[in-house]
């Protein structure tokens, strides 16, 4: 076990609220830090939404999945894992965790799981297409000192890049049409808990490993990313840049030098200055100060 991230109660009768313990995967660099597992962050954000309005007490704990203590306690289950102390229930399947959070949200009329086919269609397969692009480009760039430029990629790899950009464009268009803070309105829903971490991973890995950035002309999408960086549930659950990069390097069997593992952890929660300026010009976030 590693550090516990306890979310303090919002007041009231805390004993009447369920205590939900979420076990998330620790960083591969430092077991005291949060790892970069997307499902762990997604459930953490959903639980934070319940905590914010006083529906539940929440504790988040990082675990080293290779430790003997973890293997003994959870018998081969993998994070995310959720425990509900009062009912002595352990949820080890993602669908079980989602189901319990769903029922709590429904019981207390929290609009966390509103359905929207249009938003669902726009974000579906975005991460899958990004992973296809990632794998293909990393393989193509093996042995090169710097990532290849997108325009220099062969057509069979560029097609994955084009699919990612097409989906990002569709999300940008949806946000432009709706003019809302989040995907469905001014409150965070499960779609945001899914999309925000994935956009952040795409951004960090794109810049660090692929020589790729989310196109700067997608102003409404960038404003949405800025919203993520101002959303407590996202900030609280977001891993460091170094831990995200290490997570993908492990998946891709890429070399990580010791200097990278010794770096002080940083979190990129700012957006490009030119994009900030465009956001302000369009009046999407009038309180934004451009430096």
């Amino acid at each position: 076990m590693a550090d516990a991230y306890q979310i303090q109660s919002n007041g009231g009768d805390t004993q009447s609220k369920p205590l939900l313990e979420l076990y998330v995967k620790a960083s591969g660099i430092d077991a005291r830090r949060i790892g970069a597992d997307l499902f762990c962050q997604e459930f953490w954000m959903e639980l934070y939404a319940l905590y914010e309005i006083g529906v539940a007490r929440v504790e988040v704990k990082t675990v080293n999945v290779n430790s003997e203590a973890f293997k003994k306690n959870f018998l081969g289950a993998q994070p995310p894992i959720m425990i509900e102390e009062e009912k002595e229930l352990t949820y080890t399947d993602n669908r079980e965790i989602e189901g319990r959070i769903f029922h709590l949200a429904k019981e207390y009329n929290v609009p966390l799981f509103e359905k929207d086919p249009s938003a669902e269609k726009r974000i579906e397969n975005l991460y899958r297409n990004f992973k296809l692009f990632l794998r293909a480009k990393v393989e193509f760039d093996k042995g090169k000192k710097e990532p290849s430029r997108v325009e220099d990629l062969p057509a069979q790899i560029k097609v994955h890049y084009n699919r990612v950009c097409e989906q990002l464009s569709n999300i940008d268009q949806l946000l432009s049409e709706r003019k809302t803070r989040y995907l469905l309105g001014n409150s965070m829903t499960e779609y945001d808990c899914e999309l925000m971490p994935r956009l952040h991973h795409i951004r960090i890995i794109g810049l660090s490993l692929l020589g790729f950035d989310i196109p700067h002309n997608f102003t409404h999408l960038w404003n949405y990313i800025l919203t993520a960086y101002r959303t407590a549930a996202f900030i609280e659950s977001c891993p460091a840049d170094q831990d995200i990069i290490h997570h993908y390097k492990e998946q891709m069997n890429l070399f990580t030098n010791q200097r990278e593992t010794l770096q002080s952890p940083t979190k990129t929660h700012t957006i490009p200055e030119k994009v900030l300026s465009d956001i302000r010009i369009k009046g999407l976030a009038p309180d934004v100060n451009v430096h």
Side-chain angles (χ1 to χ4, degrees), residues 34 200 204 235-242 265-270:
I34 306 161
H200 187 62
I204 298 302
I235 296 168
E236 187 79 16
S237 60
C238 185
D241 296 350
Q242 290 81 0
T266 56
K267 295 186 181 184
T268 299
H269 286 172
T270 56

Side-chain angles (χ1 to χ4, degrees), residues 3-259:
D3 288 358
Y5 298 78
Q6 293 195 24
I7 301 175
Q8 300 300 320
S9 167
N10 276 344
D13 183 7
T14 60
Q15 296 308 311
S16 66
K17 301 170 186 174
L19 172 61
L20 303 171
E21 295 180 345
L22 182 68
Y23 290 82
V24 301
K25 190 177 289 187
S27 159
I29 297 175
D30 185 340
R32 294 169 297 179
R33 299 205 307 250
I34 306 161
D37 183 272
L38 282 165
F39 287 110
C40 289
Q41 186 174 6
E42 186 176 334
F43 292 138
W44 188 339
M45 288 181 69
E46 289 177 4
L47 286 172
Y48 198 98
L50 298 183
Y51 146 76
E52 278 192 305
I53 59 169
V55 168
R57 294 174 291 148
V58 177
E59 291 183 7
V60 182
K61 300 178 180 180
T62 59
V63 289
N64 179 354
V65 296
N66 296 316
S67 71
E68 291 303 318
F70 174 77
K71 292 175 182 177
K72 181 180 178 181
N73 287 334
F74 293 104
L75 302 175
Q78 290 293 305
I81 297 167
M82 190 172 78
I83 294 178
E84 191 167 356
E85 290 288 353
E86 291 86 352
K87 296 187 176 183
E88 297 184 347
L89 290 174
T90 299
Y91 306 90
T92 58
D93 181 86
N94 286 357
R95 287 170 297 182
E96 293 176 347
I97 298 173
E98 189 87 81
R100 182 58 182 133
I101 298 173
F102 172 85
H103 286 297
L104 273 171
K106 187 176 181 181
E107 180 181 350
Y108 290 95
N109 297 313
V110 184
L112 188 58
F113 291 93
E114 292 185 9
K115 288 300 176 186
D116 187 305
S118 181
E120 195 165 326
K121 184 178 180 182
R122 304 278 179 121
I123 69 176
E124 187 179 30
N125 294 324
L126 170 65
Y127 185 66
R128 176 181 177 275
N129 287 330
F130 173 72
K131 288 295 290 285
L132 289 171
F133 172 54
L134 171 64
R135 291 192 184 101
K137 192 170 188 302
V138 164
E139 183 63 29
F140 181 76
D141 283 343
K142 269 188 178 176
K144 298 178 182 176
K145 291 184 178 180
E146 297 292 334
S148 303
R149 298 186 310 166
V150 171
E151 50 266 38
D152 296 332
L153 294 173
Q156 65 267 30
I157 298 178
K158 198 179 292 185
V159 69
H160 298 305
Y161 168 80
N162 290 337
R163 283 174 183 161
V164 171
C165 286
E166 183 180 354
Q167 277 198 271
L168 293 174
S169 177
N170 287 337
I171 298 168
D172 178 70
Q173 182 182 10
L174 179 71
L175 291 163
S176 172
E177 292 167 355
R178 294 189 169 179
K179 297 178 172 59
T180 51
R181 180 173 173 80
Y182 297 98
L183 282 173
L184 303 195
N186 292 320
S187 297
M188 188 179 72
T189 67
E190 63 168 329
Y191 297 121
D192 303 297
C193 297
E194 177 183 340
L195 181 60
M196 285 178 167
R198 285 160 177 78
L199 284 174
H200 187 62
H201 281 217
I202 288 172
R203 186 184 178 204
I204 298 302
I205 297 307
L207 289 171
S208 61
L209 299 183
L210 301 176
F212 155 79
D213 197 5
I214 294 172
H216 288 186
N217 61 309
F218 296 163
T219 312
H220 290 84
L221 180 63
W222 275 103
N223 187 54
Y224 178 79
I225 293 170
L226 183 62
T227 294
Y229 296 162
R230 294 173 165 187
T231 297
F234 177 86
I235 296 168
E236 187 79 16
S237 60
C238 185
D241 296 350
Q242 290 81 0
D243 297 316
I244 295 173
I245 295 166
H246 183 77
H247 175 76
Y248 285 87
K249 282 192 168 185
E250 279 193 324
Q251 288 186 348
M252 300 289 116
N253 293 315
L254 297 175
F255 173 72
T256 300
N257 62 46
Q258 190 177 22
R259 180 182 58 81

